[in-house]
């Protein structure tokens, strides 16, 4: 009949306490390694953003009814596709003389829309801050020109252009966030390895281990003898031996 092994909460804390140095060391190693990689090996990526407003058509009417707004919102999905299309990005590459392709440039661009809104946010990521600003603003400029040909309308308005910053902060990597994640991951890995080592460790360390291994209760324990006690025993036997020789 198989014997089921169980582990109590006390055993869990005992393993954690015994392996605490190893667990903490694993977490510290993960944090230090991640910090070195984040600060010295990962290329900083800067982000520039611009916002544009899309209307259905340019009109001299002051009042805009709800149906017009709903129609404008329906155009947003079409414009998000047009913004990242080769028709726009090829012109951007040409105007800025970029050494890239529309497919590669598209990966740097993120187009965001808000529900029930006619506003589109265009964000560009690049290792150089000034280049991300130039690309974001040029996309809007090219869009304003090309949309008149593609859609026969002039309905793209700039709400906030991308601006140059004197001391820009990179959008990624985020070293502090990466190190926090590394600390949590390191602790989890350390705990997992600690329990694995404890599970694979078959050495006998306590009387409880003997009871579990042999299935018999422990009725006596031989206490360890210190070096001082060993010296005392040696001295006692030495005196007894000396007296015995004198009697002879």
């Amino acid at each position: 009949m198989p014997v089921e092994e169980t582990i109590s909460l006390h055993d869990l804390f005992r393993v954690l306490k015994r392996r605490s140095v190893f667990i903490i060391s694993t977490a510290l190693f993960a944090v230090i390694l991640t910090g070195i990689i984040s600060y010295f090996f990962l290329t900083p990526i800067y982000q520039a953003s611009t916002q544009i407003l899309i209307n259905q058509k340019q009109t001299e009417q002051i009042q805009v009814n709800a149906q017009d707004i709903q129609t404008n919102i329906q155009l947003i999905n079409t414009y998000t596709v047009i913004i990242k299309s080769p028709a726009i990005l090829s012109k951007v590459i040409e105007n800025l003389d970029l050494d890239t392709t529309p497919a590669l440039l598209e990966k740097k661009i993120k187009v965001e829309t808000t529900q029930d809104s006619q506003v589109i946010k265009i964000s560009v990521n690049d290792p150089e801050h000034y280049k991300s600003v130039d690309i974001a603003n040029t996309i809007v400029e090219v869009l304003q020109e090309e949309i008149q040909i593609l859609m026969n309308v002039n309905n793209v308005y700039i709400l906030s252009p991308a601006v140059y910053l004197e001391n820009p902060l990179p959008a990624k990597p985020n070293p502090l966030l990466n190190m926090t994640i590394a600390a949590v991951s390191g602790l989890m890995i350390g705990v997992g390895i600690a329990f694995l080592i404890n599970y694979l460790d078959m050495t006998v360390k306590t009387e409880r281990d003997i009871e579990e291994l042999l299935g018999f209760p422990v009725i006596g324990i031989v206490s360890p003898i210190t070096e001082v006690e060993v010296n005392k025993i040696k001295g006692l036997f030495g005196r007894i031996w000396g007296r015995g020789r004198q009697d002879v």
Side-chain angles (χ1 to χ4, degrees):
M1 183 177 180
V3 179
E4 295 183 359
E5 294 186 2
T6 59
I7 184 169
S8 64
L9 187 61
H10 175 74
D11 295 328
L12 294 177
F13 283 110
R14 181 168 57 88
V15 174
L16 293 177
K17 183 178 180 180
R18 185 193 308 171
R19 306 290 181 179
S20 59
V21 175
F22 172 79
I23 296 172
I24 295 174
S25 300
T26 302
L28 287 177
F29 175 77
V31 170
I32 294 173
L33 181 61
T34 303
I36 292 175
I37 294 175
S38 299
Y39 281 107
F40 300 104
F41 291 95
L42 295 181
T43 302
I45 302 297
Y46 298 91
Q47 185 179 91
S49 301
T50 179
Q51 286 185 322
I52 59 175
L53 175 67
I54 305 296
N55 283 328
Q56 181 183 2
K57 59 183 179 180
Q58 189 176 20
T59 178
E60 294 181 357
Q61 297 178 356
I62 298 177
Q63 295 181 350
V64 180
N65 56 41
Q67 184 177 359
D68 292 333
I69 296 177
Q70 185 63 31
T71 304
N72 292 336
I73 294 174
Q74 293 175 355
L75 290 174
I76 297 301
N77 292 334
T78 302
Y79 275 74
T80 56
V81 176
I82 294 176
I83 290 171
K84 302 178 72 173
S85 67
I88 301 297
L89 299 185
S90 297
K91 289 284 187 179
V92 174
I93 293 173
E94 181 181 351
N95 291 353
L96 295 177
D97 193 23
L98 300 176
D99 184 18
T100 186
T101 63
L104 293 177
L105 182 58
E106 180 185 355
K107 296 179 180 180
K108 297 182 178 182
I109 301 171
K110 182 179 181 181
V111 180
E112 300 175 279
T113 60
T114 305
Q115 186 177 4
D116 297 333
S117 172
Q118 300 168 236
V119 177
I120 295 179
K121 180 181 179 181
I122 303 173
S123 302
V124 179
N125 294 321
D126 195 89
E128 298 178 84
H129 171 62
Y130 78 91
K131 189 175 290 186
S132 64
V133 175
D134 290 341
I135 294 174
N137 290 330
T138 305
I139 288 175
V140 178
E141 295 173 3
V142 173
L143 179 65
Q144 287 178 318
E145 297 173 359
E146 295 298 317
I147 206 67
Q148 299 180 50
I149 302 174
L150 298 173
M151 304 286 289
N152 196 26
V153 291
N154 183 16
N155 61 350
V156 178
Y157 304 95
I158 301 175
L159 294 180
S160 59
V163 296
Y164 299 99
L165 301 176
E166 294 184 1
N167 298 308
L169 295 176
K172 56 182 180 181
N174 188 337
L176 294 179
L177 177 61
N178 293 344
M179 292 168 69
T180 301
I181 295 175
V184 176
S185 301
L187 286 174
M188 295 176 63
I189 293 173
V191 170
I193 295 177
F195 281 111
L196 179 62
I197 293 174
N198 183 75
Y199 177 77
L200 298 176
D201 187 6
M202 304 304 295
T203 58
V204 177
K205 298 181 176 64
T206 64
E207 59 272 16
R208 181 176 178 180
D209 295 337
I210 298 175
E211 292 179 355
E212 293 177 354
L213 182 63
L214 300 178
F216 297 105
V218 177
I219 59 176
I221 299 176
V222 179
S223 301
I225 301 176
T226 64
E227 185 176 355
V228 176
E229 293 173 336
V230 171
N231 293 332
K232 290 182 178 179
I233 294 174
K234 288 181 178 180
L236 178 61
F237 277 102
R239 290 193 296 271
I240 295 174
W241 176 258
R243 291 178 182 178
R245 294 189 62 183
Q246 292 177 1
D247 295 339
V248 173

